[in-house]
Amino acid sequence: MRRWLLISVPYLWLVVFFLVPFFIVFKISLSDIATAIPPYTPTFDITDIRGFLSQLDFENYAFIFSDSLYVNAYFSAIKIAAISTLLTLLVAYPIAYGMARAPKEWQPTLVMLVILPFWTSFLIRVYAWIGILKKEGLLNLFLMNLGVISEPLTIMNTTTAVYIGIVYSYLPFMILPLYASLEKINPSLLEAAADLGSPPWKSFWQVTFPLSLPGVIAGCFLVFIPATGEFVIPDLLGGSETLMIGKTLWGEFFSNRDWPVSSAVAVVLLLVLVVPIVLFQRNQEKQREAA
Amino acid sequence: MRRFSWFNATSIALGFAFLYIPILLLVIYSFNESKLVTVWGGWSTKWYGSLLENEGILNAAWVTLRVAIVSSTLATILGTLAAVVLVRMGRFRGRTLFSGLIFAPLVMPEVITGLSMLLLFVALNMDRGFWTVVIAHATFSMCFAAVVVQARLYDFDKSVEEAAMDLGATPVKTFMEVTLPIIAPSVISAWLLSFTLSLDDLVIASFATGPGATTLPMKIYSQVRLGVTPEINAISTIMIGLVTIGVLVASYSTKRASQRQERELKAVDAGAK
């Protein structure tokens, strides 16, 4: 009895405030835009369920799939998220590897130093890059003073700036799971490989990397899934050519005030991400059982 | 033990430079006398002074602080309960769905969470404002809180709880007097994490809010879109400073607490022998 009471409090909260809203989003994605409060029709009417249901249709979905703007925004978001995930992995791996090999007494401090920027505001960290990347920004100033370039580089408001922003903002999400799995590797395994005549690069690919795979997988999910729906980074650092679906959804909702179409955009985005989300959850459960 | 090679030292140094240089530059330029970001006009604290006169920013800061305190407290309570359910309740009907509901918000794009929350509030006919932002923040923060607390619950010696129960303590009393003190450091970090997540959030708050409840990130965002100004650097520096101090104090005090706990356990051990 008490057990069920304990379970039901957090459970009900999540069902009401996280699960149920998705059904509402789905329902509204089947509605039509209206100049009313709330700005869609039909609104739910318990006395006339049949009439309510008969007004729902898949028009908004047909609209999204017929307009190349939306389709391109989905593909471009997935592409940008995938490339950034790979870049983040490439940047994070040597850092996490170095941390795992650092003297034991330094390691808690190093972990702390990775977490600290994660605690400071995401928005502020993205904002910091505007001052660096813009045409008269600090990076161009620095490179021109060094004489590396004579003309300022155009990085701000391009997709390159979005890559930099995502790699920077999501780096701790990649370093921490990588470090956690690299740190667990028993160094005697590498010594054994070396004793058996394996050169270091070969030991890395055949021993270290496979053993770090759980961390690689967890980190990639933690970066790829939210980056696909990212809004702040493409909005502040990207330009008009950077198409990402999170930005499209935001514009549809706040500028066009079209709640039904933004709901349909959200439902399709969720369908795109549902496979990686389920895989992520499985991976977490598996790691927990292993621990 | 393997030697700490040059390669490793370099990759750590470069990595940390990448992580910290942008923040450092932001802080330095908040003290710039000149309004232009690229022109260094000497040291000055005038932008901090002008912040104090900016009523809009001060109001937004006050709203944000209140939202963060209330929502992180709620999130910590709910998240701790959720962690206990995940770790201690074994298998129950609907457990898979429950753990899915805990993990999905961690990676769910914010635009989806924000939109769905807003549509729920509209469907329930709730007045949007302070409380809807609190509920939205508490909901996604509680999942982060649950993950932090559950990690601690896993590597915790269950026999201490069993001993308390054997000596006749009720489950509630056992939780309050045995479990909670032991997991306290993780509960504190869960609260801090929820607090900063709330302080930080732009997207979900923009959807969930209503008239009169503009949060600081929303204010900063609308100003950033107009361009980089030293005033935003100043407010950012204050936020970074507060969070850094908070995290350092928390990590120092939890370290002290765990050292004390260890010492006490050793003393008990020694006494037993």
Side-chain angles (χ1 to χ4, degrees), chain A residues 3 6 11 13 17 21 94-95 97 112-113 117 119 121-123 127 136 138 168 231 235 253 281 285 288, chain B residues 8 11 15 18-20 38 81 89 94 99-100 116-118 139 150 154 192-193 200 217 221 228-229 233 247:
Chain A
R3 176 185 143 97
L6 178 63
Y11 208 138
W13 182 282
F17 292 112
I95 303 174
Y97 188 86
M112 182 78 200
L113 283 172
W119 291 80
S121 170
F122 189 79
L123 181 63
Y127 166 76
E136 62 283 16
L138 298 167
Y168 181 71
F231 162 73
D235 187 61
F253 185 85
Q281 188 207 338
E285 291 267 330
R288 198 163 58 196
Chain B
N8 292 335
S11 54
F18 179 57
L19 278 174
Y20 281 93
T38 40
L81 286 178
M89 289 296 133
S99 87
S116 62
M117 289 270 180
L118 166 81
T139 306
Q150 80 157 8
Y154 268 112
L192 270 173
L193 180 61
D200 193 22
Y221 172 71
V228 178
T229 69
N233 286 35
V247 172

Side-chain angles (χ1 to χ4, degrees), chain A residues 138 141, chain B residues 24-50 228-234 237:
Chain A
L138 298 167
L141 204 70
Chain B
L24 213 63
L25 288 173
L26 178 104
V27 171
I28 291 171
Y29 275 83
S30 75
F31 294 103
N32 188 3
E33 170 77 32
S34 160
K35 197 171 170 62
L36 294 166
V37 170
T38 40
V39 183
W40 181 254
W43 295 90
S44 156
T45 51
K46 73 174 180 192
W47 304 111
Y48 290 86
S50 76
V228 178
T229 69
E231 218 173 27
I232 307 175
N233 286 35
T237 303

